[in-house]
Amino acid sequence: MAQIDLSIVIPIAILAGLGFAGILARDVLRRETGSDGMREIADAIRQGARAFLRRQYKTIAFIAAILAVLFAVALGLQRGLVLGLETAGAFALGATFSALSGYIGMHISIRSNVRSAAGSLKSFNDALVTALRGGAVSGLAIVSMSLAGVTLLYYGYGALGAAANPTTYNTCIATGLFTAAQCTAQAAEDTIILSIVGFGFGASLVALFAQLGGGIFTKAADVGADLVGKVEAGIPEDDPRNPAVIADLVGDNVGDCAGRGADLFESTAAENIGAMVLGVVLFQYFGVAGIIFPLVARGLGVIACIVGVLVVRAREDEAPMSALNRGYIVTSVLAALFFGFAAWAMLQPTLPTTSGGLTWAYYWMCGIVGMLTAVAYVWITQYYTEARYRPVKEIASASETGPATNIISGFSVGLEATAIPALVVSIAILASYWLGETTGIPRGGIYGTAIATMGMLSTAAYILAMDTFGPIVDNGAGIIEMSGMSETARKNMDKLDAAGNTTKALTKGYAVGSAALAAFLLFNAFLTEAHVNSVDLSHPETFIGAFMGAALVFLFSAYAIRAVGRAAWSIIKDVRDQFRENRGIMAGTSKPDYGRTVDIATRGALKEMVVPGILAVATPLAVGLIFRFVKITYIAGMPIPAGEPLGGFLMVGTIAGVLMALVLNTGGGAWDNAKKFIEAGNLGGKGSSTHKAAVVGDTVGDPFKDTAGPSLHILVKLLSTITLVIAPLLI
Amino acid sequence: MAQIDLSIVIPIAILAGLGFAGILARDVLRRETGSDGMREIADAIRQGARAFLRRQYKTIAFIAAILAVLFAVALGLQRGLVLGLETAGAFALGATFSALSGYIGMHISIRSNVRSAAGSLKSFNDALVTALRGGAVSGLAIVSMSLAGVTLLYYGYGALGAAANPTTYNTCIATGLFTAAQCTAQAAEDTIILSIVGFGFGASLVALFAQLGGGIFTKAADVGADLVGKVEAGIPEDDPRNPAVIADLVGDNVGDCAGRGADLFESTAAENIGAMVLGVVLFQYFGVAGIIFPLVARGLGVIACIVGVLVVRAREDEAPMSALNRGYIVTSVLAALFFGFAAWAMLQPTLPTTSGGLTWAYYWMCGIVGMLTAVAYVWITQYYTEARYRPVKEIASASETGPATNIISGFSVGLEATAIPALVVSIAILASYWLGETTGIPRGGIYGTAIATMGMLSTAAYILAMDTFGPIVDNGAGIIEMSGMSETARKNMDKLDAAGNTTKALTKGYAVGSAALAAFLLFNAFLTEAHVNSVDLSHPETFIGAFMGAALVFLFSAYAIRAVGRAAWSIIKDVRDQFRENRGIMAGTSKPDYGRTVDIATRGALKEMVVPGILAVATPLAVGLIFRFVKITYIAGMPIPAGEPLGGFLMVGTIAGVLMALVLNTGGGAWDNAKKFIEAGNLGGKGSSTHKAAVVGDTVGDPFKDTAGPSLHILVKLLSTITLVIAPLLI
């Protein structure tokens, strides 16, 4: 069968995604905003979040601009001016779009919160649909923009004309199978893709800083508000007398919405680019179709997600998770079917293969493997973090003997929770590689793992909608609580808030799973671009690169966790000062200066995000450049390729990063739910000494699961994109 | 210059080491044992420790016997009966010697404790010298026995006649440089060494179980005694009314003495064998001298340690650490000089090299690199775990805001403490590899890293003496406390106890450092024996092997940490029962049944050590065997070598294991000393809420630093030895 050109799907999907996001946004924004009291609180949150984002983006823009110039110059010197400028341009576009994604996600979530709360005054379904649609605006906008960015660059750079790429051309010619014209075409495609990798790096850079800054802000505000409010002043949570209470609600938006938005923007972008790099390698078999297949598959995924969002509608007595799951199942089934169609239409080889006419079916199965991996990760996350299973119960009963045993038990659950996910992703990689290899296409195996990653990420927009749903309903519940609304509204929002906690945990599992699966594909993209054939750990340089990669993960986690403690200190100090300066606050006669605390939290978080962020960028650069000049191992008189130690760094850093993220996310989530399990009246209930011990675990888990863990997902992908960008410097 | 045969040094050193250990033992045993009260307590500790060890060894013997038979059969089928039996025999000897080492160490330490305590009644110097000499008995006995075991096997198997080894022979012949006779000699040597690797595996297996079981026992007793004694019954620490108080003191002996003794026995054995494997590779250059050089170097190290122990003598007003350090400096300088002499005498190449007559000097410098690494690790450990530096101070002040911030801060210190050690060991590997490579000898680089490891371990006996010193004085202080002796005696012992805490922390740093440095050498020994030329992470099987290796470390840590919690529970239950059954205990009219608690702690610890122990042995076996049959990546039509995925498993598992051990050891040590810093009167002192928060961190750190961390050192080395043993199965 001949290939069918489905490239038209890409612009349609982008327009459909963005258009539908716009329609949903109008729908959400037209909804009611409740009482004056509710609006007042929502306004304060909105101002705080916008002020934080503005300042954060200034800092990030400064760092990004320096890096863009550096890369343009370095790549320009090494590979010619055109490639240098193209890469720097792609970097700038990636950074801008990523920032824009975070901005849009937050823009709509800080407006959906109060509208979902207002909806809860009327009906449960109103509250749920408002929050999910608010989440879907950012989900769809983010994934569509990621697709739009790569597509624009791909066609734009193609139209500008591709510089010659002798290495790819020569490799192609050396096979003796192809004409000069065919090889020229492949070389041109490679050059285009090579400059697009800057887009992925720009996206990851912004995502890392966004998640770090937002994550530090949100947890510092949380810990600070709790320690000085609950412990020192003895006022309850979310009490309007606490000057840090608005900062706490702002944190949900800038940490979870903007952070995870940038994270998944970057995931989809990096994975698309990585798969396209490998598509070039299979150019002889699939031509341009193999390169743009990732874009088409992503586009069809966006359409599946639109349908999924539309079908969600909850009965008044329904558990919110069951309504949300219905949408997820519809999205997944549609995505699987679309995926099969795209594979059938596009992955028809032009050269004979051992799998013959069924080649597309093998790759479709790879996509299914990826989707199953997503389901497995979601399930495993539930097992380790929900109170109905053994691990959380164990932590809760360990709390009976005090905080120390609670910590020991929770930490051991976090460590344990790495084994099965590691096994699942290993099986997924092996299965998809084997399926791809069975087609008989050279390097078809690695393309199989690329397609599995696409399958896993095909439902990303829906997952992102569920994720953003979390902070929206969390905020909504806070607004209802602070403005003293009716019991029914409070019940409705509490139910949604609990579901929001679940969706946030699940999407974190999904994000780390996709990072793990994408890793192997991104390694191979790096090896292809750095002209490295093997990453041999028996070479001392490579072993040391690997050692440094793992050590970076540990050091980065140390800084991310510590940052929260430091930033929390500045908030504690400010709250104490406000209480002292204005006695009317505690008496309830005058209002605290919420803005001042937000401002201080902002400054603290931005200051603390710089060191770990720079560390993440500087270490791979240092390892890459040092081993470009330090030559130790010689094989047959030739030093090993300069990119090999960096390959070891990347691979082992990724392994360590994924495992550490699992420990921190799962440990944190399990501690959180062990506390909630006790608060639900078990083992002595709220206020008992068991509960107090569990609160310690919950507080320890906060920076684990909301700052360091999610930042590690991004670190892992940033390592992949930065190594791809510097790959040409190592040839 | 021609080589000088120094093999005579080996038996002399063994006899000197064992003989001197005997003399020291007689000297210690002849000393006074103090009052009746002191003897009574010491007797109870002795009985408990012996009962534990007897039961533990039975369990271990059972597991070891099964493994010995399995390996004998498997290797017999694959490589012939002789090799199978020889390996199984070496395994049995290694396991027996390792168990014996643990036994001797404990035998003397449970007698030195009361004698050191009695010494403190007379003078400070008496107490210190008794404890150090007691420690030196086990240090010297252990290192001498490790040397004796390998030596016995090497000469014994050589005398029995070595089976033919076609692979080594063919590789040698293929170079075209050597005669058939030369290659036959090399093949024979290789076969001998190949069967000796069983010795290392037997030693690591016993060490792993000894450390796990002992570590679980000691911390379960500690946590259990504290929680039910201090918290529930409200009686002070070391109160004779607490039924778990003897179990707590027993724990110091079985966890620290027997555990670390088996650990360093196995370190020195594994490193000797690994270096000898590489010595075979350089057979053409150094002949048998290159193979036995590690044994000679170790022997000279023993002699240096004897001198070091003899020079220690403290003034009454001297800080104990300064006296101990004097001995360490003497040992190090002597060892460095002896090392240079041995290198000059033995490492004279018989073929031309680029380094000519200075070849020995390059390798001597490698040894110096190793010694400097030891010093660096000791210094870094001090920085991260002593109260006079930033990290511990930071944890102490974080305790002011409660246990949660204490935990966050301590965990972040642990994570941070991985970076510089990783950097140091990386530099050591690169430097020694480069020095070895510069000689121009093929594979001379890797032999350089082997020699660096020898250098690092040349002071092992002295380090071990300092380490065993710790539990002896800890016990001594407890005996003085419980029997209510004079203020001077108490002061003397407290000073020593504080020094003992320091030496225990430093030797843990040394142990993990030597594991890290030895790792690269042991990898290469594995690659040599498994006939694997590269460990290429870009192959999916190898990447997955690597992923599994790292995941094993996380899962193993989870089980080791959890085991302490579970075993502590059974102790808590028993203590509660005893208080209820016999009201006279709390009244002080009748004595608790210490033996019963020891018995229950023993059963709990032995039960909990089995799962992580089996996991450590079964996982590498499974990874090795699965990828022997599952073939996915084909290069030029051939599957990748069956040993490659296991190589990835080993290397990345080692990286993860070393880093995780650093986190756990350092975090635990830092929490401990933050608590002590507060107890010394800082930040509110004992009894303040800051102190209570710090106690939580200390309790969390207990299973980290005394169970999971030290077990991870051994896990790392067990992975090396088990992969070496199964290497022939993967060819």
Side-chain angles (χ1 to χ4, degrees):
Chain A
M1 203 202 92
Q3 290 178 349
I4 301 171
D5 184 6
L6 287 187
S7 56
I8 188 69
V9 166
I10 309 170
I12 293 176
I14 295 171
L15 293 176
L18 291 176
F20 191 65
I23 293 170
L24 287 179
R26 263 190 60 188
D27 171 53
V28 168
L29 292 178
R30 269 209 295 227
R31 292 178 183 234
E32 283 168 27
T33 52
S35 72
D36 282 345
M38 287 164 67
R39 266 192 295 276
E40 197 186 328
I41 300 159
D43 280 348
I45 299 173
R46 202 159 62 229
Q47 279 165 21
R50 286 178 55 186
F52 174 76
L53 225 61
R54 212 167 328 147
R55 290 257 281 276
Q56 189 186 34
Y57 281 179
K58 255 188 224 159
T59 312
I60 298 176
F62 179 71
I63 297 170
I66 294 176
L67 280 173
V69 172
L70 280 179
F71 276 114
V73 171
L75 285 169
L77 288 174
Q78 177 89 5
R79 297 286 302 264
L81 191 62
V82 175
L83 193 96
L85 284 180
E86 280 187 357
T87 309
F91 173 83
L93 192 72
T96 310
F97 269 34
S98 176
L100 207 55
S101 294
Y103 182 79
I104 291 175
M106 211 207 45
H107 179 84
I108 196 78
S109 84
I110 55 182
R111 286 170 175 80
S112 310
N113 51 12
V114 65
R115 289 170 173 83
S116 170
S120 76
L121 301 174
K122 282 192 285 182
S123 81
F124 174 64
N125 180 54
D126 250 35
L128 181 137
V129 168
T130 308
L132 181 65
R133 294 194 172 175
V137 173
S138 76
L140 288 168
I142 286 169
V143 176
S144 307
M145 280 175 61
S146 148
L147 182 56
V150 179
T151 308
L152 269 178
L153 289 170
Y154 178 72
Y155 288 104
Y157 285 175
L160 286 173
N165 189 333
T167 325
T168 308
Y169 180 84
N170 291 338
T171 315
C172 172
I173 283 288
T175 62
L177 293 169
F178 311 106
T179 65
Q182 283 173 320
C183 289
T184 305
Q186 182 179 349
E189 291 289 335
D190 190 29
T191 310
I192 296 165
I193 306 292
L194 194 53
S195 53
I196 295 180
V197 299
F199 184 83
F201 176 50
S204 359
L205 186 82
V206 170
L208 184 76
F209 281 102
Q211 177 68 67
L212 264 176
I216 296 168
F217 183 102
T218 178
K219 289 302 124 176
D222 191 358
V223 171
D226 280 6
L227 283 179
V228 81
K230 282 200 258 184
V231 179
E232 289 186 17
I235 53 178
E237 187 151 357
D238 278 349
D239 189 298
R241 285 174 296 175
N242 190 335
V245 72
I246 294 290
D248 193 1
L249 290 169
V250 167
D252 293 334
N253 291 294
V254 300
D256 288 340
C257 288
R260 190 97 62 263
D263 181 356
L264 284 180
F265 175 86
E266 165 332 83
S267 278
T268 52
E271 175 266 323
N272 267 353
I273 296 164
M276 290 169 84
V277 168
L278 297 174
V280 173
V281 178
L282 271 63
F283 190 78
Q284 314 307 340
Y285 283 85
F286 299 124
V288 172
I291 300 171
I292 64 166
F293 177 74
L295 302 177
V296 172
R298 165 85 55 251
L300 291 170
V302 169
I303 294 170
C305 292
I306 293 176
V307 180
V309 170
L310 279 178
V311 301
V312 176
R313 207 169 297 273
R315 291 186 308 278
E316 282 309 296
D317 57 345
E318 196 177 3
M321 276 315 290
S322 99
L324 294 175
N325 277 335
R326 208 159 44 237
Y328 181 52
I329 292 167
V330 170
T331 306
S332 297
V333 171
L334 269 185
L337 294 177
F338 287 171
F339 209 91
F341 168 70
W344 168 79
M346 300 180 75
L347 298 182
Q348 297 288 356
T350 52
L351 287 177
T353 63
T354 53
S355 52
L358 282 176
T359 303
W360 69 273
Y362 281 92
Y363 283 119
W364 184 27
M365 281 190 279
C366 293
I368 304 284
V369 165
M371 290 177 195
L372 292 177
T373 308
V375 173
Y377 263 74
V378 166
W379 190 84
I380 298 164
T381 310
Q382 282 183 312
Y383 173 75
Y384 278 109
T385 56
E386 286 189 10
R388 50 198 162 121
Y389 301 105
R390 184 212 23 110
V392 171
K393 280 200 184 122
E394 219 169 73
I395 298 175
S397 48
S399 316
E400 292 187 283
T401 36
T405 40
N406 165 283
I407 298 293
I408 290 175
S409 174
F411 189 62
S412 121
V413 164
L415 287 169
E416 184 195 329
T418 56
I420 301 178
L423 209 58
V424 166
V425 89
S426 295
I427 292 171
I429 289 174
L430 275 188
S432 54
Y433 193 94
W434 178 80
L435 283 166
E437 192 85 345
T438 307
T439 61
I441 298 174
R443 304 209 63 192
I446 186 65
Y447 197 61
T449 65
I451 290 185
T453 312
M454 287 176 223
M456 183 155 186
L457 283 171
S458 60
T459 53
Y462 191 86
I463 295 274
L464 203 46
M466 294 220 294
D467 185 60
T468 310
F469 170 87
I472 291 175
V473 293
D474 188 335
N475 263 243
I479 291 172
I480 289 287
E481 185 83 23
M482 284 179 72
S483 56
M485 286 294 133
S486 74
E487 191 57 30
T488 331
R490 196 175 291 197
K491 254 198 193 145
N492 282 336
M493 285 315 291
D494 280 354
K495 239 165 82 182
L496 289 178
D497 191 15
N501 279 326
T502 307
T503 61
K504 273 194 285 185
L506 300 187
T507 49
K508 246 178 268 171
Y510 175 86
V512 72
S514 67
L517 190 60
F520 194 64
L521 128 82
L522 289 167
F523 298 156
N524 276 279
F526 166 71
L527 300 185
T528 304
E529 294 307 338
H531 301 289
V532 174
N533 290 321
S534 68
V535 176
D536 185 352
L537 285 183
S538 70
H539 299 147
E541 300 95 318
T542 313
F543 176 70
I544 283 162
F547 208 163
M548 292 293 110
L552 169 65
V553 165
F554 283 71
L555 188 60
F556 178 86
S557 308
Y559 282 129
I561 291 170
R562 177 175 312 157
V564 174
R566 293 210 179 144
W569 255 110
S570 57
I571 294 173
I572 291 173
K573 224 185 129 289
D574 177 63
V575 174
R576 282 183 188 158
D577 285 351
Q578 290 209 26
F579 281 148
R580 210 188 41 239
E581 289 161 16
N582 184 349
R583 302 272 165 201
I585 296 178
M586 275 303 281
T589 53
S590 64
K591 272 175 59 180
D593 187 348
Y594 299 127
R596 191 172 114 183
T597 316
V598 170
D599 190 57
I600 283 169
T602 302
R603 255 181 286 156
L606 295 186
K607 201 178 117 203
E608 296 295 335
M609 87 179 178
V610 173
V611 173
I614 298 286
L615 188 74
V617 176
T619 318
L621 272 178
V623 170
L625 293 180
I626 286 172
F627 287 108
R628 212 196 143 180
F629 299 107
V630 176
K631 311 272 184 197
I632 293 191
T633 308
Y634 284 79
I635 297 166
M638 289 287 292
I640 61 166
E644 202 189 289
L646 190 58
F649 176 89
L650 169 62
M651 289 181 164
V652 176
T654 299
I655 290 175
V658 166
L659 293 173
M660 187 62 88
L662 282 165
V663 172
L664 298 176
N665 287 344
T666 317
W671 268 314
D672 188 355
N673 281 331
K675 186 198 69 173
K676 291 204 174 109
F677 176 73
I678 293 168
E679 284 176 352
N682 300 294
L683 303 172
K686 217 164 173 167
S688 65
S689 67
T690 308
H691 179 243
K692 277 192 195 111
V695 168
V696 172
D698 182 41
T699 311
V700 169
D702 271 346
F704 282 25
K705 73 175 197 299
D706 291 320
T707 311
S711 301
L712 279 173
H713 311 164
I714 305 183
L715 175 71
V716 161
K717 285 171 286 181
L718 176 90
L719 293 182
S720 292
T721 54
I722 193 173
T723 49
L724 265 174
V725 169
I726 58 179
L729 302 179
L730 303 177
I731 297 171
Chain B
M1 201 201 93
Q3 290 178 349
I4 302 171
D5 184 6
L6 288 186
S7 56
I8 187 69
V9 167
I10 309 171
I12 293 176
I14 294 171
L15 293 176
L18 291 175
F20 191 66
I23 293 169
L24 287 179
R26 264 191 58 190
D27 170 55
V28 169
L29 292 177
R30 268 208 298 226
R31 294 177 181 236
E32 285 168 24
T33 52
S35 72
D36 283 346
M38 287 166 65
R39 266 193 294 278
E40 198 186 324
I41 299 161
D43 279 348
I45 298 173
R46 199 157 67 229
Q47 280 167 23
R50 287 180 54 186
F52 173 79
L53 224 60
R54 210 167 330 147
R55 289 258 283 279
Q56 188 186 33
Y57 281 179
K58 256 189 223 160
T59 312
I60 297 176
F62 179 73
I63 297 171
I66 294 177
L67 280 174
V69 173
L70 280 179
F71 278 113
V73 171
L75 285 170
L77 288 174
Q78 176 89 7
R79 299 284 302 263
L81 191 62
V82 174
L83 192 95
L85 283 180
E86 279 187 358
T87 308
F91 172 84
L93 192 72
T96 311
F97 269 33
S98 175
L100 207 56
S101 293
Y103 182 79
I104 292 175
M106 208 206 48
H107 180 85
I108 195 77
S109 83
I110 55 184
R111 286 169 175 80
S112 310
N113 52 10
V114 66
R115 289 170 173 83
S116 170
S120 76
L121 302 174
K122 283 192 286 182
S123 79
F124 173 65
N125 180 53
D126 250 36
L128 181 138
V129 168
T130 309
L132 181 66
R133 294 194 172 174
V137 173
S138 76
L140 287 168
I142 286 169
V143 176
S144 307
M145 281 176 60
S146 150
L147 181 57
V150 179
T151 308
L152 269 178
L153 289 170
Y154 178 73
Y155 289 102
Y157 285 174
L160 286 172
N165 189 332
T167 325
T168 307
Y169 180 83
N170 291 338
T171 314
C172 173
I173 282 289
T175 62
L177 292 169
F178 312 105
T179 66
Q182 283 173 321
C183 289
T184 305
Q186 181 179 349
E189 291 289 337
D190 190 30
T191 311
I192 295 164
I193 305 293
L194 195 52
S195 53
I196 295 180
V197 300
F199 184 83
F201 175 50
S204 1
L205 186 83
V206 170
L208 184 76
F209 281 102
Q211 178 65 65
L212 264 177
I216 296 168
F217 183 103
T218 179
K219 289 302 125 176
D222 191 357
V223 171
D226 279 5
L227 283 179
V228 81
K230 281 201 259 183
V231 180
E232 289 185 18
I235 52 179
E237 186 149 359
D238 280 348
D239 190 299
R241 287 174 294 176
N242 190 334
V245 71
I246 294 292
D248 193 4
L249 290 169
V250 167
D252 293 334
N253 291 294
V254 300
D256 287 340
C257 288
R260 188 98 63 258
D263 180 357
L264 284 180
F265 176 85
E266 133 24 54
S267 278
T268 52
E271 174 267 323
N272 266 353
I273 296 164
M276 290 169 84
V277 167
L278 297 175
V280 173
V281 178
L282 272 62
F283 191 78
Q284 315 306 341
Y285 283 85
F286 299 123
V288 172
I291 301 172
I292 65 167
F293 177 73
L295 302 177
V296 172
R298 165 86 54 252
L300 291 171
V302 169
I303 294 169
C305 291
I306 293 176
V307 180
V309 170
L310 279 178
V311 299
V312 176
R313 207 171 297 272
R315 292 184 309 277
E316 282 308 296
D317 55 346
E318 196 178 4
M321 277 315 291
S322 99
L324 293 175
N325 277 335
R326 205 155 50 233
Y328 182 53
I329 291 167
V330 169
T331 307
S332 296
V333 171
L334 270 184
L337 294 176
F338 288 172
F339 210 92
F341 169 69
W344 168 79
M346 299 181 76
L347 298 181
Q348 297 287 356
T350 53
L351 288 176
T353 64
T354 52
S355 51
L358 283 176
T359 303
W360 68 273
Y362 281 93
Y363 284 119
W364 184 28
M365 281 190 278
C366 293
I368 303 283
V369 165
M371 290 177 194
L372 292 178
T373 308
V375 172
Y377 263 73
V378 165
W379 190 85
I380 297 166
T381 311
Q382 282 183 311
Y383 174 74
Y384 279 109
T385 57
E386 286 189 9
R388 52 200 160 117
Y389 301 104
R390 189 228 356 129
V392 171
K393 282 203 184 121
E394 217 169 72
I395 299 175
S397 47
S399 315
E400 291 188 282
T401 36
T405 39
N406 166 283
I407 298 292
I408 290 175
S409 173
F411 189 62
S412 119
V413 164
L415 287 170
E416 184 196 329
T418 56
I420 300 176
L423 208 58
V424 166
V425 91
S426 295
I427 292 171
I429 289 174
L430 276 188
S432 55
Y433 193 94
W434 178 80
L435 283 166
E437 193 86 345
T438 307
T439 61
I441 299 175
R443 304 208 64 193
I446 186 66
Y447 196 62
T449 66
I451 290 185
T453 313
M454 287 176 223
M456 181 155 188
L457 283 170
S458 59
T459 53
Y462 191 86
I463 293 278
L464 204 45
M466 293 222 294
D467 184 59
T468 311
F469 169 87
I472 292 174
V473 293
D474 187 337
N475 263 242
I479 292 171
I480 289 286
E481 184 84 23
M482 284 178 73
S483 57
M485 286 294 134
S486 74
E487 191 57 32
T488 329
R490 196 173 291 195
K491 253 197 193 146
N492 283 337
M493 285 317 289
D494 280 353
K495 236 166 86 183
L496 288 178
D497 191 13
N501 279 326
T502 306
T503 61
K504 273 195 286 184
L506 300 187
T507 50
K508 245 177 270 170
Y510 176 84
V512 72
S514 68
L517 190 59
F520 194 64
L521 128 83
L522 290 166
F523 299 156
N524 276 278
F526 166 73
L527 299 185
T528 304
E529 294 307 337
H531 300 291
V532 174
N533 289 322
S534 68
V535 175
D536 184 353
L537 285 183
S538 70
H539 299 147
E541 301 94 319
T542 313
F543 177 70
I544 283 162
F547 208 162
M548 292 292 109
L552 169 65
V553 165
F554 284 71
L555 188 61
F556 178 87
S557 308
Y559 282 128
I561 291 169
R562 177 175 313 159
V564 174
R566 292 208 180 145
W569 256 111
S570 57
I571 295 171
I572 290 172
K573 222 184 132 289
D574 176 65
V575 174
R576 282 183 188 158
D577 285 352
Q578 289 207 31
F579 281 149
R580 209 187 41 240
E581 289 161 17
N582 185 349
R583 301 273 164 199
I585 295 177
M586 274 303 282
T589 54
S590 65
K591 272 176 56 181
D593 188 348
Y594 300 127
R596 193 173 111 183
T597 315
V598 170
D599 191 57
I600 282 170
T602 302
R603 256 182 286 156
L606 294 187
K607 202 180 116 205
E608 297 295 336
M609 86 179 177
V610 174
V611 173
I614 298 286
L615 188 74
V617 176
T619 318
L621 272 179
V623 170
L625 293 179
I626 285 172
F627 287 108
R628 211 195 144 183
F629 300 107
V630 175
K631 310 272 184 197
I632 292 193
T633 307
Y634 285 78
I635 297 167
M638 289 286 292
I640 60 167
E644 201 190 291
L646 190 58
F649 177 90
L650 169 62
M651 289 182 166
V652 177
T654 299
I655 290 175
V658 166
L659 293 174
M660 188 64 89
L662 282 165
V663 172
L664 299 175
N665 288 345
T666 316
W671 269 313
D672 189 353
N673 281 332
K675 186 197 70 172
K676 290 202 175 110
F677 176 71
I678 293 167
E679 283 174 353
N682 300 297
L683 303 172
K686 219 166 172 168
S688 65
S689 66
T690 308
H691 179 243
K692 276 191 196 115
V695 168
V696 172
D698 181 42
T699 311
V700 169
D702 270 346
F704 282 23
K705 75 177 195 298
D706 291 320
T707 311
S711 300
L712 278 173
H713 312 162
I714 306 183
L715 175 72
V716 161
K717 285 171 285 181
L718 176 92
L719 293 181
S720 292
T721 55
I722 192 172
T723 49
L724 265 175
V725 169
I726 58 178
L729 301 178
L730 302 178
I731 298 171

